Amino acid sequence: VKRKPAVDMDYKMFDLQLPQHAHLREQVEPMFTEIFKGEKQQLSLFFGKYSEGSYVTSHTDGAVVTLDGHDRYDRKRAFLLYLNEEWTESDGGLFTDEEDHGQPAFLPAWNTLLTFRVPRYHLVTPVTAHKVRWSIYGWTLEEHLEWDEKFVRWVIRMSSEQPTLTALAVGVIVLALAMLVYKITQNTTQGHKKM
């Protein structure tokens, strides 16, 4: 697996979680809460300002983040709302989806909402025009859980939604784990007998 280098960027971001931007967040958040209300997730919101020469290199947005200094959240869905009138391809600043081979570049045109699940490789081409490219962007955030916590929650959810299927699935998983433990102990026991 070829690893890509760390993301490099040159643009200004304004974190709407900060107290000095609370008035902006109050204006903007209801719009995105309405769109993503079924996901029961926290929102992380920013304003982005790209000037001539601004860009972001290839990255996935995949991260575990902290809100209010304590809780850990996984980014689940990214979204960008573009606020640029009269923007053309030759102005640069195009969002490029590196995983979509059909139509990989998106113009940051006025009132265009772009959303995608993360992680997903993408970049922003350099702004070539003497203009400012504005966007409101962010992520839906879900409580960060380790794999065992996710499994337990899945079993609990499935047992209430489909009890018979869940019981069967859990039984198969327990049997597979028991067989794995047996195999490991057999290999360990045989290794000791040879000595």
Side-chain angles (χ1 to χ4, degrees):
V1 175
K2 185 179 179 184
R3 267 185 84 99
K4 294 198 175 193
V7 65
D8 183 24
M9 62 183 105
D10 177 25
Y11 74 98
K12 297 207 183 305
M13 64 173 74
F14 303 92
D15 185 346
L16 298 187
Q17 278 71 239
L18 298 177
Q20 64 264 36
H21 301 306
H23 63 287
L24 292 172
R25 185 178 180 92
E26 289 170 7
Q27 304 273 324
V28 171
E29 188 171 36
M31 207 171 18
F32 294 102
T33 302
E34 182 64 27
I35 294 168
F36 297 110
K37 68 182 176 185
E39 301 199 22
K40 297 179 184 176
Q41 298 172 342
Q42 299 283 339
L43 291 180
S44 176
L45 289 167
F46 295 81
F47 269 107
K49 178 185 178 185
Y50 289 67
S51 302
E52 187 174 6
S54 295
Y55 65 91
V56 180
T57 60
S58 181
H59 63 288
T60 66
D61 280 359
V64 176
V65 297
T66 301
L67 289 180
D68 303 325
H70 47 77
D71 295 318
R72 291 170 44 97
Y73 293 88
D74 291 315
R75 290 176 176 169
K76 292 297 181 180
R77 178 174 291 284
F79 53 86
L80 303 101
L81 178 63
Y82 294 115
L83 308 172
N84 311 293
E85 294 182 335
E86 299 179 19
W87 200 272
T88 67
E89 279 190 45
S90 63
D91 294 331
L94 304 179
F95 175 96
T96 303
D97 182 346
E98 296 178 289
E99 295 186 33
D100 180 350
H101 302 291
Q103 183 186 353
F106 296 88
L107 190 67
W110 172 258
N111 205 28
T112 299
L113 177 66
L114 180 63
T115 181
F116 56 95
R117 291 202 177 276
V118 295
R120 187 170 184 91
Y121 278 105
H122 61 283
L123 59 87
V124 177
T125 65
V127 173
T128 55
H130 191 62
K131 294 180 176 181
V132 176
R133 173 192 182 272
W134 287 99
S135 63
I136 301 169
Y137 69 97
W139 299 271
T140 60
L141 305 174
E142 192 174 90
E143 181 184 1
H144 177 74
L145 300 173
E146 298 301 329
W147 71 269
D148 55 339
E149 294 172 291
K150 288 179 184 177
F151 176 72
V152 168
R153 287 190 182 190
W154 175 82
V155 168
I156 291 169
R157 188 179 76 246
M158 291 305 293
S159 64
S160 65
E161 293 174 8
Q162 300 176 2
T164 306
L165 182 60
T166 303
L168 179 61
V170 171
V172 168
I173 291 169
V174 169
L175 180 60
L177 288 172
M179 291 171 59
L180 181 63
V181 169
Y182 176 76
K183 187 173 182 176
I184 291 171
T185 56
Q186 288 298 91
N187 287 343
T188 305
T189 305
Q190 289 175 359
H192 288 304
K193 288 180 182 177
K194 290 180 183 177
M195 296 178 140

